[in-house]
Amino acid sequence: MEAPSFITAQFIVSAAVLLIVVHVILIGVAYSIYLERKISAYIQDRIGPNRVGFDFGLPVLQKLFRGFGFWGLGQPLADGIKFLLKEDYTPPRADKVLFTLAPMVIVIPALIGFAIIPWGGVWNVPDFTIPVLDWHIKGGPVHVAGAAVNVGIIYILAVAALGVYGVTLGGWASNNKYSFLGGLRATAQMLAYEIPLGLSLLAALLVVGSVWPETIIRHQVDHGWLILAQPLPAVLFYIAILAEANRAPFDNAEAEQELVGGYHTEYSSMRFALFFLAEYSHMVTSSAFFVLLFMGGYHLPLIPWLSPESTGLAAVLLKFLVYFGKVMLSVCFMMVIRWTLPRMRYDQVMMMAWQAAIPIALACVVLTSLMVYADLRGTIPLLLSNIALAGAILAVYPFFPKADPNRRVPLYGSRFNPMPGEVVSHAPVHAMAREDRPVQGTAPAR
Amino acid sequence: MTPVLLATTDVGSYLPVFIVILMAITFAVANIVLTKVLGPSRTGAVKGITYESGMNPVGTARKRFNVRFYLIAVVFLVFDVEIIFLYPWATTFPNLTPHSSDSLLWLVRIMFFLFTTVVAYLYGWRKGVFRFD
């Protein structure tokens, strides 16, 4: 029997990859929270989660496992169950519709972004028949990716940009000042860092000359990984994806000391968990993006199975493992960054985007296009040009005017900078505040 | 060396994208509905208060905010539109013959386009759009 025209080998493989990768990513996200807690624990000389096993308090399983904790591996599952069973509370003053919509709007782009990632390269499928329906499917080379669409990596960019809406909506709908400020900060920051992200991506695309993931990987197999040829755009790209995912040192949107929880202050139970899930799956997706662009995708040198020419099933599985391993390494690197670097101040974050990252990324694009025009697209010339650009930036940097980073900010109307004619009292004005003073007579004379 | 296997250009190749969007929507909605069904539900006057670190909330959060965020959005628009125009160029320009007159023409045109953006950027910088204090 003839299959419907849209059921091709590519479609079946795509659907299967989607089904598998969604679950791999969801489980990977749950366990990367465990991983982050473990890494932070080891960095801070603690042990981290090591008690919660798989018995979940059930007597039968407790007897079976005899209190064995499985190194705390049950923690993510227990957390997930707990999130489901907690109360899902909507504050009465919040905007009800947007308050429910925001976690969905943030989690949907985070979950669909990975669709274009070429996890397994190309698989040469033999002809096969679907048993019950008796559909004969013609084989041939297919892409082992969620969706083989010809917009290529533009799709990831388009989807990643949608993540801003969830943050904005969550901050606005909560009707809470912490949430509102966190949402504002996160929105401005994500907008600002989208530009160096796009520009450093351009610097990589100019070398390759295609947006198609398979071509990008093939170029890196032939000419060496792009992180060697374009280290400066690679670093800018990594900084930008850290800031896009609201990760430390750029997590000002949820700076605990200033804004409690930022845009998810008012959220509870699963809706709160969806924000977290979106952050971590954003990390996974953007790490996969970084690996695709700069780290050679599934390619490792000296292993013949990992070249684009080998299209067997075993090679595809090995490529998937290598790709996922690289992604997890990048995610671990993000976690190490989070637990070793202090958080930047918000004005520093924004100034770094607009006054440092964007000009440098623009210079990278101009330099790369000149190199491409001069037909110097090899790894060595590009690396040398990158070193020259870095040297030029370091040479020019001392001549730029500098502002003292710790100067007092002239915030008009504050007690340090009163409005003209304003009388500023340094002593507590309110009667209640005066009463609160523990010892009488210590208040300054008025 | 085998040539790179490219994507087909028909709209049918976008079908998996719709599948994954449907999967994501199902996941999001199912989670929120499940927790609504499974979790407890209690209300109270104090529970409903907006959280302000335990103090009594002052006013509402629907306030005016700093105009600088608006300026950031405008400048972002300038740059983002510019970058969108650069992608088609970045995918075709490296495939032209190097050192040819075509290649030079494409390079100079896009450099002029970038130059206009740099002018806008410098104007914004001089106007203090990028100062955050």
Side-chain angles (χ1 to χ4, degrees):
Chain A
M1 211 176 97
E2 203 57 32
S5 62
F6 68 91
I7 305 256
T8 55
Q10 174 68 63
F11 175 75
I12 291 172
V13 170
S14 288
V17 168
L18 282 179
L19 268 180
I20 295 167
V21 173
V22 161
H23 290 92
V24 167
I25 283 191
L26 283 179
I27 295 169
V29 160
Y31 274 92
S32 62
I33 295 174
Y34 168 81
L35 188 69
E36 169 137 45
R37 293 181 61 182
K38 272 291 187 197
I39 287 178
S40 70
Y42 287 133
I43 286 176
Q44 297 172 344
D45 202 9
R46 294 182 284 119
I47 296 175
N50 67 340
R51 296 293 174 92
V52 185
F54 293 102
D55 53 31
F56 302 116
L58 300 173
V60 184
L61 292 174
Q62 271 173 344
K63 202 163 284 175
L64 189 63
F65 294 136
R66 287 192 215 135
F68 183 54
F70 289 100
W71 310 282
L73 280 173
Q75 185 80 50
L77 298 178
D79 280 346
I81 295 169
K82 193 184 79 179
F83 274 130
L84 268 181
L85 295 179
K86 288 289 176 184
E87 178 177 359
D88 187 24
Y89 188 68
T90 310
R93 301 187 64 177
D95 187 326
K96 303 260 179 333
V97 178
L98 294 184
F99 194 76
T100 313
L101 204 61
M104 297 191 202
V105 170
I106 199 168
V107 87
I108 291 170
L111 281 183
I112 65 178
F114 66 87
I116 198 68
I117 301 291
W119 297 99
V122 176
W123 179 20
N124 209 343
V125 187
D127 293 356
F128 62 98
T129 311
I130 296 179
V132 180
L133 300 169
D134 197 32
W135 287 347
H136 300 288
I137 308 290
K138 202 170 150 8
V142 295
H143 299 282
V144 186
V149 292
N150 58 348
V151 289
I153 56 176
I154 305 286
Y155 170 81
I156 307 182
L157 276 183
V159 168
L162 292 178
V164 183
Y165 288 104
V167 174
T168 318
L169 286 183
W172 172 257
S174 300
N175 201 354
N176 176 325
K177 280 164 215 142
Y178 294 126
S179 304
F180 182 57
L181 287 176
L184 265 185
R185 278 184 176 192
T187 310
Q189 176 185 327
M190 286 163 101
L191 289 186
Y193 277 91
E194 215 149 272
I195 298 165
L197 182 90
L199 285 175
S200 49
L201 170 65
L202 264 177
L205 285 188
L206 270 171
V207 182
V208 179
S210 170
V211 289
W212 181 239
E214 211 44 50
T215 316
I216 295 171
I217 293 177
R218 174 67 69 89
H219 182 273
Q220 299 185 64
V221 171
D222 293 342
H223 300 94
W225 294 0
L226 276 179
I227 194 170
L228 300 175
Q230 296 274 51
L232 214 52
V235 171
L236 280 175
F237 189 85
Y238 207 81
I239 292 173
I241 60 177
L242 275 179
E244 284 283 298
N246 272 322
R247 289 289 297 180
F250 307 107
D251 57 346
N252 295 74
E254 41 199 292
E256 294 89 358
Q257 295 87 349
E258 304 156 28
L259 295 178
V260 189
Y263 50 86
H264 49 61
T265 305
E266 292 279 357
Y267 280 90
S268 62
S269 84
M270 207 62 205
R271 279 191 272 189
F272 171 74
L274 286 184
F275 278 105
F276 248 69
L277 198 119
E279 180 185 330
Y280 279 84
S281 55
H282 205 106
M283 275 165 73
V284 173
T285 308
S286 45
S287 290
F289 198 11
F290 179 77
V291 167
L292 166 66
L293 278 175
F294 292 103
M295 302 283 283
Y298 49 71
H299 173 249
L300 277 183
L302 303 177
I303 301 180
W305 277 15
L306 294 176
S307 70
E309 276 79 26
S310 51
T311 50
L313 184 56
V316 165
L317 291 177
L318 188 67
K319 283 173 183 175
F320 184 87
L321 282 183
V322 169
Y323 203 120
F324 207 72
K326 281 186 187 177
V327 169
M328 278 337 258
L329 265 182
S330 164
V331 169
C332 284
F333 185 58
M334 284 183 175
M335 290 171 183
V336 173
I337 287 178
R338 169 163 177 191
W339 292 98
T340 47
L341 292 184
R343 180 182 295 132
M344 287 169 80
R345 218 169 58 197
Y346 186 65
D347 62 326
Q348 291 172 336
V349 171
M350 293 304 281
M351 279 206 266
M352 186 172 132
W354 289 104
Q355 303 187 2
I358 291 173
I360 295 175
L362 259 177
C364 283
V365 170
V366 171
L367 184 70
T368 313
S369 55
L370 289 177
M371 296 294 279
V372 168
Y373 174 70
D375 200 18
L376 297 170
R377 282 161 67 186
T379 300
I380 305 289
L382 280 174
L383 180 62
L384 288 179
S385 74
N386 267 267
I387 293 173
L389 180 60
I393 292 166
L394 287 180
V396 170
Y397 180 68
F399 298 103
F400 273 101
K402 271 185 207 52
D404 174 19
N406 292 320
R407 73 198 173 284
R408 183 164 283 162
V409 174
L411 185 70
Y412 293 107
S414 78
R415 62 188 176 133
F416 300 111
N417 290 285
M419 301 292 274
E422 186 186 1
V423 182
V424 179
S425 161
H426 287 258
V429 208
H430 198 270
M432 212 163 147
R434 270 208 300 274
E435 268 176 21
D436 269 353
R437 299 200 159 250
V439 185
Q440 254 187 344
T442 51
R446 286 160 52 84
Chain B
M1 197 167 77
T2 51
V4 175
L5 178 65
L6 293 173
T8 51
T9 46
D10 61 341
V11 188
S13 64
Y14 284 84
L15 205 56
V17 176
F18 290 106
I19 293 179
V20 75
I21 290 175
L22 274 182
M23 280 162 80
I25 291 175
T26 317
F27 176 79
V29 173
N31 265 313
I32 290 178
V33 170
L34 259 183
T35 183
K36 202 85 196 167
V37 171
L38 291 178
S41 176
R42 297 179 202 97
T43 49
V46 179
K47 190 175 181 176
I49 292 178
T50 307
Y51 177 73
E52 272 178 26
S53 303
M55 317 285 276
N56 286 337
V58 181
T60 166
R62 302 271 187 268
K63 284 192 170 161
R64 295 193 205 175
F65 53 89
N66 198 330
V67 71
R68 206 163 275 143
F69 289 106
Y70 172 74
L71 288 179
I72 287 293
V74 172
V75 182
F76 166 75
L77 212 60
V78 172
F79 271 94
D80 213 38
V81 171
E82 175 219 343
I83 292 174
I84 288 169
F85 278 119
L86 285 182
Y87 283 120
W89 170 74
T91 49
T92 42
F93 172 67
N95 300 325
L96 298 172
T97 323
H99 303 296
S100 64
S101 57
D102 269 0
S103 188
L104 184 64
L105 190 65
W106 282 55
L107 180 70
V108 172
R109 275 179 182 167
I110 214 72
M111 284 302 138
F112 179 74
F113 180 53
L114 275 179
F115 174 72
T116 56
T117 322
V118 169
V119 169
Y121 174 75
L122 291 178
Y123 178 75
W125 192 323
R126 288 295 293 170
K127 279 285 178 184
V129 177
F130 307 131
R131 284 170 56 100
F132 281 86
D133 50 25

